[in-house]
């Protein structure tokens, strides 16, 4: 995709990402904002996103985020980032669908494409990696580079997960040429945890259960605990990855209660099980090794439903 050709000469541009924005989503939204600001100096560029965590407040555009999703007019161009399906952009869907031109850029294997034009690259580590390739050098600057670096770092577990490939490092080579402190970004947005976040992690690990002969591990936080710790969804980031680090485990499951008998489920696989496929049975999606969905029932109901699909995949893998 040639992003600037597709965008044309817009006077108004809207940008959004997925609900409960993660590092890649935040990096992609603010990176695109900083980049398009350099390209279209006179355009009115708006950002629509659920409130991103304060750790990202160093990124250009953070103070410009509109969390109301209210806009009276029609956008010339509206861009959705890091979003596997239209449902993932939440209340921005009307603005996206109502725009003169809607553009999607994403890397989820479960994404079938939506909007007028889309660029979906499931082999890319992150949406920010794709953007690094799409963005033209003459409009790049340190603000764009910092945002894209943040996104790549988050979706690759700081350049570690199997989604990290030669193209990821080629993108990073382009970004680190700009003058910023990359380790400060990964320390302050990825590794550092608040006291409460560490307590939630500790509690989940302590109460986790191992099943399917040690090949599956699951942990959860219920509403009572969330209220006690005054936890938000962003406080759970990284817990599922720590569960996954248990020796012998093929699939790690973490969930937290979003309502009465309603859970947001996160899954991570070490490769044998395609968790995007497991999630798809429950209306979710994601990547082969990292996926999620929303499910109803008790913790044990949800586990039972997921286990059927995980077990089936493990059995066919073992044969
Ligand atoms: P998470 O476990 O929330 O970190 O998400 C892991 C991956 O799965 C991310 O790339 C998400 O975008 C994707 N994902 C999580 N939940 C859903 C969902 N309900 N529908 C589609 N994709 C999801
Ligand atoms: Mn994301
Ligand atoms: Mn992503």
């Amino acid at each position: 995709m040639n992003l600037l050709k597709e965008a044309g000469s817009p006077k108004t541009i809207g940008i959004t990402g997925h609900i409960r924005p993660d590092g890649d989503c935040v990096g992609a939204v603010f990176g695109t904002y900083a980049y398009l600001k350099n390209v279209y100096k006179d355009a009115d560029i708006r950002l629509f996103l659920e409130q991103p965590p304060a750790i990202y407040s160093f990124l250009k555009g953070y103070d410009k985020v509109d969390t109301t999703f209210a806009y009276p007019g029609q956008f010339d161009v509206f861009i959705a980032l890091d979003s596997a399906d239209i449902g993932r952009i939440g209340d921005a869907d009307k603005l996206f669908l109502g725009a003169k031109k809607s553009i999607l850029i994403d890397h989820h294997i479960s994404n079938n494409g939506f909007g007028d034009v889309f660029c979906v690259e499931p082999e890319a580590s992150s949406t920010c990696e794709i953007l690094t390739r799409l963005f033209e050098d003459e409009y790049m600057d340190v603000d764009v580079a910092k945002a894209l670096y943040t996104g790549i770092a988050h979706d690759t577990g700081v350049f570690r997960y199997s989604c990290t490939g030669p193209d990821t490092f080629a993108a990073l080579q382009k970004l680190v040429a700009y003058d910023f402190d990359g380790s400060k970004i990964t320390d302050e947005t990825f590794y550092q945890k608040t006291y409460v976040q560490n307590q939630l992690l500790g509690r989940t690990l302590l109460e986790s259960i191992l099943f399917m002969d040690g090949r599956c591990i699951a942990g959860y936080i219920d509403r009572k605990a969330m209220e006690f710790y005054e936890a938000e969804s962003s406080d759970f980031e990284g817990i599922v990855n720590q569960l996954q680090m248990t020796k012998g485990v093929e699939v790690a499951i973490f969930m937290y209660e979003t309502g009465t008998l309603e859970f947001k489920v996160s899954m991570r696989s070490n490769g044998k099980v395609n968790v995007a496929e497991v999630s798809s049975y429950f209306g979710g999606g994601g990547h082969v090794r990292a996926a999620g969905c929303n499910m109803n029932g008790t913790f044990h109901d949800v586990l039972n439903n997921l286990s059927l699909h995980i077990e089936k995949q493990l059995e066919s893998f073992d044969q």
Side-chain angles (χ1 to χ4, degrees), residues 18 20-26 82-83 88 107-108 127 155 287:
H18 60 76
R20 289 189 289 271
D22 56 11
D24 185 34
C25 172
V26 168
D82 199 39
S83 302
R88 296 279 291 160
H107 69 121
H108 291 91
T127 299
D155 261 15
H287 313 282

Side-chain angles (χ1 to χ4, degrees), residues 47-306:
L47 298 173
F48 300 93
L49 201 61
E50 284 182 4
Q51 187 58 47
I55 46 170
Y56 300 112
S57 61
F58 69 98
L59 293 172
K60 181 176 170 173
Y62 185 83
D63 55 338
K64 301 278 188 301
V65 170
D66 183 337
T67 56
T68 69
F69 296 88
Y71 184 77
Q74 179 190 36
F75 280 102
D76 290 338
V77 170
F78 201 92
I79 304 172
L81 298 160
D82 199 39
S83 302
D85 58 67
I86 186 100
R88 296 279 291 160
I89 64 174
D91 292 337
D93 58 352
K94 286 173 222 65
L95 299 174
F96 182 86
L97 294 170
K100 286 185 193 146
K101 182 134 189 186
S102 54
I103 300 175
L104 161 75
I105 300 166
D106 183 44
H107 69 121
H108 291 91
I109 194 164
S110 58
N111 196 330
N112 298 317
F114 57 92
D116 295 326
V117 277
F118 46 83
C119 170
V120 178
E121 295 183 11
E123 64 290 348
S125 67
S126 49
T127 299
C128 284
E129 179 188 319
I130 303 172
L131 293 175
T132 308
R133 286 194 281 277
L134 291 181
F135 288 178
E136 295 176 18
D137 289 346
E138 65 171 301
Y139 302 112
M140 289 287 292
D141 65 17
V142 66
D143 291 314
V144 182
K146 269 157 67 174
L148 299 183
Y149 183 91
T150 303
I152 296 176
H154 276 253
D155 261 15
T156 59
V158 190
F159 326 125
R160 205 165 47 83
Y161 301 154
S162 65
C163 61
T164 318
D167 293 343
T168 319
F169 288 109
L172 288 165
Q173 186 179 23
K174 209 166 130 180
L175 299 177
V176 297
Y178 293 88
D179 186 25
F180 66 92
D181 187 345
S183 21
K184 185 170 155 57
I185 291 180
T186 50
D187 278 355
E188 292 179 4
T189 70
F190 189 88
Y191 292 113
Q192 214 173 71
K193 300 285 171 197
T194 63
Y195 180 62
V196 159
Q197 286 165 349
N198 274 332
Q199 291 218 302
L200 289 162
L201 169 67
R203 188 176 164 146
T204 310
L205 297 180
L206 202 63
E207 293 174 357
S208 65
I209 57 169
L210 203 57
F211 56 108
M212 267 184 224
D213 293 329
R215 300 174 92 184
C216 242
I217 191 167
Y220 78 113
I221 294 283
D222 63 16
R223 281 225 79 80
K224 234 167 83 185
M226 282 182 75
E227 277 158 24
F228 179 78
Y229 292 103
E230 293 181 16
E232 293 170 24
S233 61
S234 57
D235 291 324
F236 307 130
E237 200 98 9
I239 295 182
V240 70
N241 305 85
Q242 192 55 50
L243 286 169
Q244 188 194 7
M245 287 293 127
T246 312
K247 199 168 164 63
V249 156
E250 290 299 338
V251 176
I253 303 167
F254 171 73
M255 59 185 102
Y256 65 90
E257 224 177 352
T258 48
T260 312
L261 298 180
E262 269 176 32
F263 287 93
K264 163 71 178 78
V265 178
S266 284
M267 281 183 279
R268 298 294 182 268
S269 161
N270 285 333
K272 291 184 184 166
V273 174
N274 177 346
V275 286
E277 191 190 313
V278 176
S279 295
S280 71
Y281 291 110
F282 306 100
H287 313 282
V288 173
R289 287 172 181 246
C293 54
N294 297 295
M295 292 176 71
N296 298 317
T298 64
F299 171 64
H300 287 96
D301 292 336
V302 171
L303 270 197
N304 282 337
N305 286 327
L306 292 170

